């Protein structure tokens, strides 16, 4: 084969691979498309890890918010439970103090009237203490003159309302009364509404009403 013939064959092959408008045909076009597909796959492979990272970040944020909400809810519930516990403890302590003080008010003896008054004033505060102090002197002489005495018994008692430092108590108290004119005991059945205030570490009566 001559050199001229070999050159002619090469040019013919190039001509077969290229059309008149300059586009590739046949196997050349397939090769180009394969290269483009490979490039797209590489780009997709590079971009693929970014989506899971964004998802992981979003999941972490959501979990953090849920955890913060959970901690806040538990803290609020714990605080409410502690507050209710304090009110419950206050109610029980004030109830006991009110029962004891009801006995102080309804148990008296003309022979020991000054001691009775001292105890009554010691268990009082505020409005009730002022009112009791003002009327004590007049009542004292009446009780002495009539040789009066009384003994109280708390029949029933319950907390009507309560906060951590103020409790209202309803009491049913029977009082046995005797005096110079009536030596035989007379029973008075009293219903008492008593408000107890916490003063320092004590529960004192600030209001006493006979209903």
């Amino acid at each position: 084969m001559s050199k001229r013939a070999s050159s002619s064959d090469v040019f013919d092959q190039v001509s077969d691979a290229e059309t008149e408008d300059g586009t590739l045909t046949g196997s050349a076009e397939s090769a180009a498309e394969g290269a483009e597909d490979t490039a797209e796959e590489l780009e997709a492979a590079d971009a693929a890890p970014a989506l899971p990272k964004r998802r992981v970040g979003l999941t972490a944020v959501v979990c953090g918010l849920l955890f913060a909400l959970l901690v806040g809810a538990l803290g609020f519930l714990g605080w409410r439970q502690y507050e209710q516990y304090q009110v419950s403890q206050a109610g029980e302590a004030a109830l006991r103090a009110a029962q004891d003080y009801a006995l102080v008010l309804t148990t008296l003896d003309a022979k020991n009237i000054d001691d009775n008054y001292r105890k009554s004033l010691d268990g009082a505060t505020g409005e009730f203490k002022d009112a009791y102090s003002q009327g004590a002197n007049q009542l004292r002489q009446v009780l002495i003159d009539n040789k009066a005495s009384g003994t109280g018994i708390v029949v029933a008692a319950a907390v009507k309302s309560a906060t951590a430092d103020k409790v209202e108590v309803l009491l049913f108290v029977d009082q046995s009364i005797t005096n110079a004119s009536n030596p035989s005991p007379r029973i008075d059945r009293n219903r008492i509404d008593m408000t107890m205030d916490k003063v320092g570490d004590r529960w004192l009566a600030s209001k006493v009403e006979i209903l």
Side-chain angles (χ1 to χ4, degrees):
M1 179 180 296
S2 66
K3 292 181 179 180
R4 185 180 182 83
S6 300
S7 299
S8 177
D9 291 340
V10 170
F11 286 115
D12 289 342
Q13 290 176 4
V14 172
S15 297
D16 290 340
E18 185 176 1
T19 62
E20 293 179 357
D21 59 359
T23 60
L24 297 178
T25 61
S27 60
E29 184 177 359
S30 298
E33 291 177 352
E36 292 178 357
D37 292 342
T38 301
E40 291 177 355
E41 290 176 357
L42 290 174
E43 291 178 357
D46 292 338
L51 184 58
K53 288 180 180 179
R54 287 196 296 270
R55 288 180 177 174
V56 169
L58 181 60
T59 301
V61 171
V62 172
C63 290
L65 290 175
L66 290 175
F67 179 75
L69 290 174
L70 179 60
V71 171
L74 290 175
F76 176 75
L77 291 175
W79 174 78
R80 286 290 296 168
Q81 187 174 8
Y82 178 70
E83 186 181 51
Q84 292 175 356
Y85 170 78
Q86 285 186 309
V87 172
S88 176
Q89 292 293 102
E92 292 178 5
L95 179 62
R96 291 192 297 268
Q99 289 175 304
D100 292 341
Y101 191 61
L103 295 180
V104 171
L105 291 178
T106 57
T107 300
L108 54 90
D109 188 345
K111 296 176 182 179
N112 298 307
I113 196 65
D114 290 335
D115 187 51
N116 293 144
Y117 281 154
R118 182 185 58 77
K119 290 179 180 178
S120 296
L121 288 173
D122 182 60
T125 188
E127 177 185 336
F128 178 68
K129 186 171 186 177
D130 292 340
Y132 192 88
S133 298
Q134 292 174 7
N137 290 331
Q138 295 179 357
L139 183 59
R140 174 181 180 279
Q141 193 58 49
V142 172
L143 293 174
I144 293 174
D145 293 342
N146 288 276
K147 298 181 181 179
S149 64
T151 302
I153 298 175
V154 177
V155 178
V159 173
K160 190 175 180 180
S161 63
T163 65
D165 55 8
K166 185 180 290 290
V167 178
E168 187 176 0
V169 179
L170 185 62
L171 306 105
F172 293 88
V173 181
D174 286 353
Q175 184 182 30
S176 175
I177 301 173
T178 61
N179 55 47
S181 301
N182 297 293
S184 298
R186 184 187 80 246
I187 303 297
D188 282 353
R189 303 188 186 281
N190 303 298
R191 189 170 63 164
I192 302 174
D193 191 328
M194 188 179 298
T195 299
M196 306 297 291
D197 288 357
K198 190 171 186 181
V199 181
D201 60 351
R202 299 180 64 198
W203 285 95
L204 306 176
S206 63
K207 187 176 182 180
V208 178
E209 293 182 315
I210 306 296
L211 304 177

